[in-house]
């Protein structure tokens, strides 16, 4: 993927973030997501490329989400695979909480894992700990490996975990070992990047979240030289084992099989992001440790975007000022303000 095309993707997440920001603190996460999706789709379809969403959070019968298999772009130019989450942190956006971002990863046609929108267990560390994690081992053993490799006492290790009821016991175990837990309501993509950036302040991320966020995360982790392991989990293993969830799980397993994936099997970083022909881009919606949120004054809005290219391992932070009454008016018509 050439540099100019990679930079062009920063405009996509900026537009989605600005659209979502119109719904900041209004308590309607679906409206925020809807606005971000519409803005993102509009912008992607202006780009000269032949793109396909290989993993996203929506299906074709759940419009207006960017659904798996959706074709984007003009149909001309480079063939691109896209993994996307228009808002990582919809609830945080709706409630005005920190660390909400708009995020996208783009790569070559075969770069990313193709999987359904389902649950994924994830374990992420930075470059110094590459090769030290093993998702088949208990979290305690992984923590001890990381602490030893970093030359830290357990009390100096920081682990980020999604604050979900399914993680209550894991959080308790980590704390009993003496490590520090940063529990976040949502937004594990930002958390994973904090493991890999030099000044991130996080040593490990663990949790069961969405597969789309997992593949997007893998793109950034690979570009930054970190390490990640994951496995896809059927819904009835994560949620209650009800007849409804069993039916959903059966469909998830069927679709994984069609893509040559075995559920509950450990996936390594190279399975999730298969080469360096990729770009990762994220724009802050609300303030967080990774990115500043949107600052708006009248018709002026300022965004901060993180752009990482896999081949060059270049990290760019882009600060942009947007004149909302003049620039790309068609997009902001979608916001609904």
């Amino acid at each position: 993927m050439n540099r100019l095309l990679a930079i062009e993707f920063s405009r996509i997440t900026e537009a989605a973030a600005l659209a979502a920001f119109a719904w900041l603190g209004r308590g309607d996460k679906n409206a925020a997501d809807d606005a971000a999706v519409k803005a993102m789709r509009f912008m992607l379809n202006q780009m000269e490329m032949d793109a396909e969403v290989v993993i996203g959070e929506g299906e074709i019968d759940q419009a207006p989400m960017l659904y798996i298999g959706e074709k984007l772009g003009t149909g001309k130019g480079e063939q691109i695979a896209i993994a996307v989450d228009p808002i990582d942190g919809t609830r945080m956006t709706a409630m005005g909480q920190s660390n909400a971002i708009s995020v996208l990863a783009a790569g070559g046609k075969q770069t990313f894992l193709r999987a359904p929108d389902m649950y994924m267990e994830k374990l992420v560390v930075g470059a110094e700990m590459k090769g030290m994690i093993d998702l088949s081992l208990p979290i305690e053993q992984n923590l001890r490996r990381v602490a030893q490799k970093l030359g830290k006492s357990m009390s100096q290790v920081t682990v980020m975990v999604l604050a979900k009821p399914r993680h209550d016991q894991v959080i308790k175990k980590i704390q009993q070992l003496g490590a520090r837990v940063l529990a976040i309501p949502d937004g594990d993509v930002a958390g994973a990047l904090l493991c890999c950036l030099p000044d991130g302040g996080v040593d490990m991320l663990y949790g069961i979240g969405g597969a789309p966020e997992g593949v997007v995360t893998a793109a950034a982790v690979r570009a930054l030289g970190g390490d990640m392991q994951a496995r896809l989990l059927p819904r009835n293993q994560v949620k209650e084992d009800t007849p409804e969830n069993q039916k959903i799980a059966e469909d998830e397993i069927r679709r994984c099989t069609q893509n040559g994936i075995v559920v509950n099997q450990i996936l390594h970083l190279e399975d999730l992001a298969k080469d360096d022909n990729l770009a990762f881009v994220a724009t802050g919606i609300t303030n967080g440790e990774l990115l500043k949120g949107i600052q708006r004054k009248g018709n002026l809005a300022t965004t901060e975007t993180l752009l990482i290219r896999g081949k060059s391992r270049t990290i760019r932070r882009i600060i942009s000022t947007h004149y909302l009454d003049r620039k790309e008016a068609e997009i902001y018509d979608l916001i609904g303000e």
Side-chain angles (χ1 to χ4, degrees):
M1 181 184 303
N2 66 64
R3 178 174 54 85
L4 292 178
L5 185 60
I7 291 174
E8 186 74 6
F9 282 115
S10 67
R11 299 175 63 238
I12 309 303
T13 54
E14 285 174 355
L18 287 163
F21 186 76
W23 292 94
L24 180 71
R26 296 187 182 181
D28 191 339
K29 67 178 186 178
N30 290 330
D33 218 10
D34 180 53
V37 168
K38 286 178 178 177
M40 188 171 272
R41 177 178 284 122
F42 179 91
M43 290 293 290
L44 284 166
N45 279 326
Q46 310 309 305
M47 293 181 64
E48 189 167 320
M49 62 180 180
D50 180 8
E52 179 185 358
V53 178
V54 296
I55 188 164
E57 287 214 78
E59 305 295 343
I60 192 167
D61 59 345
Q62 294 178 324
M65 298 300 291
L66 288 161
Y67 59 85
I68 296 169
E70 181 171 357
K71 301 291 186 179
L72 297 164
T74 62
K76 301 176 181 178
E78 193 170 346
Q79 288 188 319
I80 299 291
I82 290 176
V84 63
D85 191 0
I87 304 178
D88 185 30
T90 52
R91 182 170 52 182
M92 284 128 65
T93 301
M95 301 304 294
Q97 298 171 337
S98 60
N99 286 311
I101 61 176
S102 176
V103 63
L104 177 150
K109 189 176 180 180
Q110 304 300 326
T111 295
F112 300 126
L113 178 80
R114 293 173 179 258
D117 176 13
M118 59 189 293
Y119 282 103
M120 178 183 278
E121 185 180 16
K122 310 159 196 175
L123 184 61
V124 179
V125 292
E128 290 179 79
M129 283 77 71
K130 192 171 180 66
M132 299 301 295
I133 56 173
D134 185 345
L135 197 52
S136 68
L137 297 176
I139 191 72
E140 300 95 311
Q141 287 184 245
N142 280 288
L143 273 171
R144 291 191 180 99
R145 286 183 171 195
V146 167
Q148 183 176 17
K149 180 67 175 178
L150 290 174
K152 291 183 175 183
S153 66
M154 193 61 71
S155 63
Q156 295 174 309
V157 175
T158 300
V159 185
M160 190 165 277
V161 185
L162 287 177
K164 306 288 186 183
R166 58 181 173 267
H167 296 143
D168 286 347
Q169 292 305 310
V170 170
I171 290 172
K172 189 178 293 185
K173 282 183 182 178
I174 295 170
Q175 291 171 332
Q176 287 172 345
L177 287 168
R180 182 186 296 111
V181 174
L182 301 181
I184 54 173
D186 291 292
D188 55 352
V189 176
L193 262 75
L194 292 172
C195 294
C196 299
L197 291 169
D199 55 352
V202 177
D203 299 308
M204 176 188 289
L205 176 131
Y206 172 80
I208 298 170
E213 293 93 335
V215 175
V216 171
T217 293
V221 172
R222 175 158 187 147
L224 292 169
D227 203 1
M228 176 177 179
Q229 289 189 10
R231 52 187 161 199
L232 293 165
L233 305 178
R235 179 175 288 265
N236 66 326
Q237 290 183 16
V238 180
K239 298 286 191 177
E240 293 182 3
D241 192 22
T242 62
E244 181 183 1
N245 285 337
Q246 289 173 5
K247 185 177 180 181
I248 293 171
E250 287 173 4
D251 185 60
E252 290 170 342
I253 293 168
R254 177 186 60 80
R255 293 173 64 197
C256 283
T257 302
Q258 287 177 344
N259 286 313
I261 306 166
V262 180
V263 298
N264 290 302
Q265 181 175 292
I266 292 176
L267 300 166
H268 294 83
L269 180 60
E270 294 74 19
D271 300 314
L272 301 164
K274 301 174 185 178
D275 56 57
D276 293 325
N277 182 31
L278 58 83
F280 169 91
V281 59
T283 299
I285 300 170
T286 60
N287 283 327
E289 291 83 2
L290 180 66
L291 289 162
K292 292 179 181 178
I294 293 170
Q295 306 296 315
R296 183 166 182 178
K297 186 176 181 180
N299 282 325
L300 283 180
T302 302
T303 58
E304 182 181 23
T305 297
L306 180 68
L307 172 62
I308 307 168
R309 285 188 68 215
K311 284 187 175 179
S312 62
R313 198 166 288 180
T314 305
I315 304 171
R316 289 184 173 88
R317 289 187 180 270
I318 303 169
I319 308 297
S320 304
T321 300
H322 307 263
Y323 289 80
L324 301 185
D325 57 339
R326 296 169 60 190
K327 184 182 178 184
E328 295 159 348
E330 298 96 333
I331 301 168
Y332 305 114
D333 284 343
L334 298 171
I335 294 175
E337 274 199 320

